[in-house]
Amino acid sequence: MSKQSFTLTNNQTKQSYEYPILEGTRGPSVLDLRSFFKDSGLFTYDPGYTSTASCTSTVTFIDGAKGELRYRGVPIETLATEHSYMETCYLLLTGELPDKDTLQDFDLEIRHRAFLHEGLRHLFAAFPDNAHPMATLSAAVTALSTFYDDHKSCQDDAGYQEMARRIISKIPTIAAFSYRHSLGIPFIQPDIDLGFTKNFLTMMRAYPGGKMHLCATGHEEIKEVEVRALDTIFTLHADHEQNASTTVVRGVASTGAHPYVAISSGISALWGRAHGGANESVIAQLELIGSVDKVEAFIERAKDPDDDFRLMGFGHRVYKNFDPRAKILKGLQDELRVELNLNTELMAIARKIEEIALNDDYFISRNLYPNIDFYTGIILTALQIPKSMFTPIFVIGRTVGWITQWIEFKKDETSKIARPRQLYRGK
Ligand code: CMC
């Protein structure tokens, strides 16, 4: 056995077991306990997987203490400021940033694949008015698997790429249709003349025929700063290693189900307010607070152990320092405030919460900083996107990460069906 090992001793039997320590390229080393049960007859206990590495990965790296995030080794700050979401998708899928020609081909392919099979359109009619777009989105992605049954058995790189590019392209269309169905307004088809992000905003906002709102000065065009802001939000959401929804996607992958069904399960997992649903809850909470003078009372509630009220958009399982995505978005929020001339009460309430919480011992001692969702809610509101679409926007950004992790799981020869054990304390 190598020197890099860890010995565990059972104090009842006095028996010792030695396990190898595995080294990563970054981050903490990992104790390889795969044979622990076979050796000792004991299980390890780790609810919420706070000390467990569930896989080997080369996709995303987070250092929560430093507040560092990298996709395929590239710092998130570089991607958010120097590259587009399309480039980020290509990077995640292939491991390399594309050159100019490769990017152009990739971008064109994504544009052309954005249309939905006409049969799928009918599915939306089955949902009641006001159906939450997340529920419709998850159902429609499961339904999408029925149109591409072959993807269940894809095994080579060409097959993986076609399957992945198809879902990345179609997710914004499904999300926009889910939203428009919830309002009972006609769908807007994708426009191949438009890039990924502008196309999505158009499918959300346009009138039939693809024209924007008409005002005294003509049609209100989508502003470049809005496209850039949303594109950055997509990039910041693109992957986040083994979070709750990605773990669900890998878990479904482990059973051999269709990849789009795994994505649909990821969408359901993301919806909860402890995860991606937090962005919608942040705005609901700011609206509940209502005015700057009420902020302090709500902060007191968040600190009260007998009150289950939590400050939405604060805290993170991994980041015990400022979430680097939140730092980028804070800058973007300030930029938008100037460029779109925004100074809303919601922004003022958010600023007050931030100011108090960042200086309060309760939050400081628990390392509770604003996370990505604290700022996305505010920025998306500034982009006139309704609350119910905040988490679907997270889905659009994250689909590339989920599908990349799905492919990685499939290619990994050590992958096994996800099947944890339990500490039984029943009758
Ligand atoms: N407001 C007030 N107190 C909090 C908050 C909060 N938002 N978050 C954590 N705490 C307290 C918690 O009560 C506990 O205190 P104590 O030690 O006195 O019992 C301590 O901080 C540790 O909390 P925890 O629940 O053990 O931490 P966790 O790592 O299990 O949970 C979290 C992480 C994100 C679920 C949690 O911080 C939370 O519920 N935050 C609000 C929801 C939110 O913003 N979620 C979005 C996460 S970022 C997007 C994503 O990647 O999904």
Side-chain angles (χ1 to χ4, degrees), residues 48 50 237 240 243-245 269-270 272-279 281-282 285 299 301-305 307-320 323 325 362-363 365-374 394 398:
T50 54
H237 280 127
H240 214 226
N243 56 83
S245 54
L270 188 79
R273 64 189 214 133
H275 194 7
N279 51 17
S281 305
V282 166
Q285 197 167 81
I299 299 254
R301 280 190 62 188
K303 288 158 54 177
D304 181 351
D307 190 335
D308 64 5
F309 179 86
R310 280 193 170 195
L311 213 49
M312 287 292 119
F314 270 75
H316 199 275
R317 168 61 64 78
V318 179
Y319 294 120
K320 300 303 171 195
D323 178 341
R325 304 167 300 173
Y362 174 94
F363 293 89
S365 61
R366 288 170 180 75
N367 295 313
L368 299 171
Y369 293 91
N371 58 48
I372 186 168
D373 290 323
F374 186 72
F394 196 150
R398 181 57 56 86

Side-chain angles (χ1 to χ4, degrees), residues 1-8 17-25 27-33:
M1 179 139 319
S2 79
K3 267 203 188 141
Q4 285 278 48
S5 70
F6 199 104
T7 300
L8 292 167
Y17 309 93
E18 193 178 0
Y19 294 98
I21 293 175
L22 309 177
E23 295 296 337
T25 44
S29 306
V30 171
L31 184 56
D32 182 354
L33 284 175

Side-chain angles (χ1 to χ4, degrees), residues 2 162 376 427:
S2 79
E162 183 184 44
T376 44
K427 280 193 210 164

